[in-house]
Amino acid sequence: MTIEEFIAKWQGLPGGAERANFQPFIGEFCRVLGLPEPQPATGGVLSDYRFEAPVRRDAAFSDQSTGAIDLYKKGCFVLEAKQSRLKDGEKAPANDLPAPEPERVVATDLFGNVTVTERAAPRPKGRRYDRLMEDALAQAKGYALALPADHGWPPFILVCDVGRAFEIHFDWAGNGKGYGFFPDQKSYRIELDQLRLPAIQERLRAIWSNPHSIDPRRQSAEVTAQVARRLASVSQWLEQAHRDESLPDWQQSLGIEETSLFLMRMLFCMFAEDVDLLPRGKFTEFLERARTGSDTLWQRGLADLWDRMGTPGLGDRWWSFGDQIIRYFNGNLFTSPRIYNLPPEQKGELLAAAKAQWRNVEPAIFGTLLEQALTTSQRASLGAHYTPRAYVERLVQATIFDVLVPEWQAVREPADGEGPRLAEVLAFHDRLAGVHVLDPACGTGNFLYVAMEQLLRLESDVLELVSQLGGSAAPRVGPNQFLGLELNPRAAVIAELVLWIGWLRFRLANDPTSIGEPVLPPLHNINFGRHGGYDALLAADPVTGARSDLANPRPADWPEADFIVGNPPFIGGKDLRAKLGGDYAEALWRAWPAVPKSADLVMQWWDRAAARLLAPGTRLRRFGLVTTNSITQSFSRRVIAARLSSSDENPHPNPPHSPASPGGEGAEGVSLPPGERSEPRVGRVG
């Protein structure tokens, strides 16, 4: 059988018979694409590749104790099949169709009297097709969670509308809870006639036989590793060449910020030309010329480009070195930029980095860059530590999305069984657009980036349902909802760029028309939009802007947020004076006496988050912090016990959203490999 014969045979069959049609359909599909066919069933045993694969569904929060996956392949996918009842080419009606006109009923009685009455016509059910696919997706997600531990979470979930389409969802979070459109919202659905396309055939073959080959996280990691080494070299050279040890710390901090901003502008231009926000290849061509050209060429070319990128007026945006009109980005990143001359070898590193596939670069690359650029002593003094992505995702999931996802499910599947209502879906979208997440020790923004990425995926689900219901809504989730505080000025600059690039990359993949001008939203979300680093524990001197006023210490301000996540610095209580300085440690203890002097520094963040959670009328719903094992020691337990006692006397104002106690019964946590110091836990006061 050829692919054309397969499409002709199956396309547009009458619906409603997926049980009879599914297995023959998949068998022929596998033969046409040269894929292995499912193995024969072996009773109630969950084998690696079979139809009707048995699983225990109680683990997936189902009312039934057992279930059967329509098609399962270990390490590859869970597939659920439906066959919609639509005729070929028919589109599903929307749920919010207007009520039909009343029916007129004419009746004649036994004596010949005629009466005319009206009665309401049956309301169209609506969304017959999409509801079937939604149900199949929900069922498949439940099965994925119910698989035995030795099978792991499948990277893909497929929903098959027999004879019409496949829909593909990928586990972006890698924890069985983060399935989203693959490769993006525009092209996750493969219509049957698209099977003619070689690229589509290769995608499906990879999902069936080698899913790791198309895992976007793996591709990002490979490109990221290559680029990070080059950028670290340039970053180190800039700081060493322009460091002035004679200046006070706060002025050195501003100098580091300037060199970081210069490098971030360079990196953003590399990304922008790869995604066609800048003219394709023109920035790389400029770097090629400038590598062996004069300092004047370098200075004037960059100044001209960045000035155009920060200029609103269309008539003033011609970049002479690129012979192109440049889009307006905004003034945050490109107003009055300082340009640093570089030696040819460092320009060569930037040129090599520019030639990478920046579409595949993971924005969290910049955290890796910071780790490589810091010396061991700098990392120790700052408490800097790169948190593995898996731990970030687990903490973000438990802190934020274990709250938001059930709320979304309640909107999607109302208890009355009538199906979602457009007004309620739009209201939930409003709430998403108002969610604020704070990382009060944000480093280069990894926690904020992961939280933003997952919130964007949740918004995509919402927008898709709005469209299915016949409504319209523009994407609204953006970087300004993700707030950070960071002492290291280089890291603060990087965090802002991580959010910019992460947001743009997602929007370009899923809804490029939503990106207007300015391309970048002006951001004021890191360190309240202030220059220099921000001490999250002690307030800065209001006159000099220095790190903190140790003579008159007071707690630093934190912005209001719905959720707090992060990985605060690890410094043991016995080391605080040596690491932070005696004057600073004393000021810290005076400003916030609730934390014992012998407690780990991380408890300062724990206690301040707990205080915010328990405050009358608080906005905060939940907090989660990566925490050292010392949280179980006596001095740290005192901090927790005090807040628990307070919560017993003053119940949390939002109890439905606040889980049980931190570090106690029901606390979220994972055990890390030997040598790791951290344990993610979710703050559960109240």
Side-chain angles (χ1 to χ4, degrees):
M1 176 179 284
T2 67
I3 193 71
E4 292 296 338
E5 290 170 339
F6 174 78
I7 293 171
K9 175 178 178 178
W10 288 101
Q11 193 167 41
L13 285 183
E18 72 267 11
R19 286 294 160 211
N21 289 332
F22 171 60
Q23 292 192 15
F25 173 78
I26 287 296
E28 293 184 3
F29 167 83
C30 289
R31 289 193 288 275
V32 164
L33 291 189
L35 298 169
E37 296 184 48
Q39 303 158 353
T42 53
V45 178
L46 179 63
S47 54
D48 290 352
Y49 183 30
R50 61 164 288 183
F51 292 115
E52 299 296 320
V55 289
R56 290 183 54 83
R57 300 215 306 186
D58 52 352
F61 312 106
S62 169
D63 294 334
Q64 304 176 30
S65 60
T66 59
I69 304 171
D70 287 344
L71 179 61
Y72 170 65
K73 195 166 192 294
K74 182 180 179 181
C76 297
F77 60 80
V78 162
L79 187 153
E80 278 299 299
K82 299 294 178 185
Q83 191 169 20
S84 62
R85 297 180 181 274
L86 299 180
K87 299 176 183 178
D88 191 25
E90 180 185 0
K91 293 186 178 180
N95 239 6
D96 63 337
L97 289 175
E101 294 293 325
E103 295 178 348
R104 294 171 58 86
V105 179
V106 180
T108 303
D109 64 14
L110 293 175
F111 304 98
N113 299 314
V114 178
T115 59
V116 179
T117 59
E118 292 186 346
R119 68 182 182 191
R123 190 176 183 87
K125 293 295 184 183
R127 296 180 62 250
R128 290 176 292 162
Y129 173 78
D130 293 299
R131 185 60 179 272
L132 280 172
M133 300 296 271
E134 287 171 13
D135 290 346
L137 177 60
Q139 195 173 1
K141 288 179 178 178
Y143 287 144
L145 287 174
L147 288 167
D150 61 343
H151 278 240
W153 292 297
F156 288 96
I157 281 178
L158 304 179
V159 180
C160 174
D161 183 4
V162 178
R164 289 185 175 81
F166 291 94
E167 292 183 357
I168 305 175
H169 302 264
F170 178 70
D171 184 14
W172 294 94
N175 59 10
K177 298 181 180 180
Y179 289 100
F181 303 121
F182 179 88
D184 51 56
Q185 190 177 356
K186 297 180 296 181
S187 48
Y188 74 101
R189 179 177 168 85
I190 298 175
E191 302 289 348
L192 199 66
D193 57 7
Q194 290 180 279
L195 294 180
R196 298 185 177 98
L197 302 176
I200 296 298
Q201 295 176 21
E202 288 307 308
R203 183 183 305 169
L204 291 167
R205 287 191 184 101
I207 291 171
W208 239 260
S209 301
N210 188 15
H212 293 297
S213 67
I214 57 170
D215 185 337
R217 297 168 304 178
R218 182 180 177 184
Q219 295 169 349
S220 291
E222 292 173 354
V223 176
T224 296
Q226 297 168 10
V227 174
R229 291 189 291 270
R230 299 187 181 281
L231 300 184
S233 171
V234 182
S235 176
Q236 289 175 319
W237 187 91
L238 279 168
E239 289 195 25
Q240 291 168 3
H242 297 280
R243 181 179 293 137
D244 186 346
E245 301 286 355
S246 67
L247 296 175
D249 287 348
W250 65 275
Q251 287 186 329
Q252 289 190 52
S253 176
L254 291 176
I256 292 172
E257 183 181 49
E258 280 292 340
T259 59
S260 299
L261 279 169
F262 166 75
L263 186 55
M264 293 308 105
R265 292 184 191 103
M266 299 294 294
L267 304 187
F268 182 81
C269 291
M270 296 175 192
F271 165 78
E273 76 166 347
D274 257 18
V275 297
D276 298 318
L277 292 173
L278 283 175
R280 176 62 67 95
K282 292 297 183 180
F283 185 68
T284 300
E285 288 179 15
F286 168 75
L287 292 178
E288 184 77 66
R289 291 172 57 200
R291 183 171 63 92
T292 56
S294 66
D295 288 344
T296 301
L297 173 69
W298 174 260
Q299 287 276 346
R300 289 186 178 180
L302 290 178
D304 190 33
L305 172 62
W306 291 344
D307 183 56
R308 302 297 174 260
M309 293 173 76
T311 299
L314 181 62
D316 298 321
R317 297 212 304 269
W318 183 267
W319 182 35
S320 58
F321 287 81
D323 196 27
Q324 296 278 344
I325 291 178
I326 302 300
R327 292 183 67 167
Y328 171 46
F329 287 80
N330 78 21
N332 267 47
L333 190 59
F334 299 106
T335 296
S336 303
R338 181 172 175 181
I339 298 169
Y340 295 86
N341 286 325
L342 296 175
E345 58 269 27
Q346 297 304 329
K347 291 178 182 176
E349 295 285 7
L350 291 177
L351 175 62
K355 292 179 179 178
Q357 295 295 319
W358 278 80
R359 285 180 180 271
N360 295 329
V361 169
E362 171 67 35
I365 176 184
F366 303 115
T368 305
L369 167 62
L370 175 63
E371 285 293 298
Q372 294 184 0
L374 288 173
T375 65
T376 302
S377 61
Q378 286 175 314
R379 279 195 291 270
S381 65
L382 291 169
H385 184 83
Y386 182 74
T387 310
R389 171 82 183 227
Y391 301 145
V392 175
E393 287 175 335
R394 178 163 184 177
L395 190 68
V396 166
Q397 175 71 41
T399 307
I400 303 171
F401 294 94
D402 282 358
V403 175
L404 295 180
V405 170
E407 293 177 356
W408 170 230
Q409 293 299 335
V411 173
R412 289 180 65 112
E413 302 290 341
D416 59 15
E418 291 295 320
R421 299 167 178 85
L422 180 59
E424 293 178 5
V425 176
L426 291 172
F428 182 81
H429 188 216
D430 288 340
R431 295 199 297 276
L432 280 190
V435 166
H436 283 75
V437 178
L438 168 66
D439 184 345
C442 71
T444 55
N446 282 353
F447 282 86
L448 296 176
Y449 166 70
V450 169
M452 181 180 71
E453 186 180 57
Q454 293 192 21
L455 198 67
L456 286 167
R457 296 195 189 285
L458 181 56
E459 184 189 39
S460 291
D461 286 347
V462 175
L463 295 175
E464 186 78 3
L465 186 53
V466 168
S467 176
Q468 291 172 8
L469 293 174
S472 62
R476 292 165 59 194
V477 171
N480 275 311
Q481 295 174 236
F482 301 88
L483 316 173
L485 303 176
E486 174 52 41
L487 184 60
N488 183 292
R490 184 207 297 111
V493 170
I494 294 171
E496 188 171 84
L497 193 71
V498 163
L499 293 172
W500 262 335
I501 289 181
W503 176 77
L504 280 171
R505 193 172 71 161
F506 189 91
R507 289 269 64 89
L508 286 165
N510 292 277
D511 189 2
T513 60
S514 66
I515 298 176
E517 288 194 358
V519 171
L520 301 174
L523 295 187
H524 306 284
N525 53 330
I526 305 299
N527 291 346
F528 292 94
R530 303 172 189 172
H531 290 287
Y534 187 92
D535 188 339
L537 299 182
L538 292 182
D541 187 300
V543 178
T544 66
R547 172 175 167 182
S548 54
D549 181 1
L550 302 184
N552 301 287
R554 57 186 177 85
D557 292 332
W558 286 13
E560 293 291 329
D562 302 278
F563 302 97
I564 293 176
V565 292
N567 181 4
F570 162 61
I571 301 177
K574 62 182 176 59
D575 298 322
L576 289 179
R577 288 182 181 275
K579 299 289 187 182
L580 302 178
D583 291 343
Y584 184 89
E586 289 292 342
L588 182 64
W589 294 325
R590 291 202 309 274
W592 198 267
V595 178
K597 294 182 179 180
S598 297
D600 192 305
L601 183 64
V602 72
M603 299 312 299
Q604 292 280 347
W605 276 265
W606 259 97
D607 197 60
R608 294 177 193 212
R612 178 70 62 86
L613 187 66
L614 292 169
T618 184
R619 176 177 180 171
L620 183 63
R621 303 178 65 180
R622 185 178 283 192
F623 72 89
L625 301 172
V626 178
T627 306
T628 64
N629 290 330
S630 65
I631 194 172
T632 62
Q633 297 173 1
S634 59
F635 292 108
S636 297
R637 287 205 309 270
R638 286 185 202 171
V639 178
I640 298 168
R643 292 301 176 188
L644 288 175
S645 174
S646 174
S647 68
D648 291 339
E649 298 171 5
N650 302 292
H652 189 279
N654 299 309
H657 309 304
S658 301
S661 61
E665 183 178 355
E668 280 295 322
V670 297
S671 298
L672 302 189
E676 293 287 358
R677 63 161 183 83
S678 307
E679 182 171 344
R681 297 183 185 271
V682 179
R684 298 183 165 189
V685 179

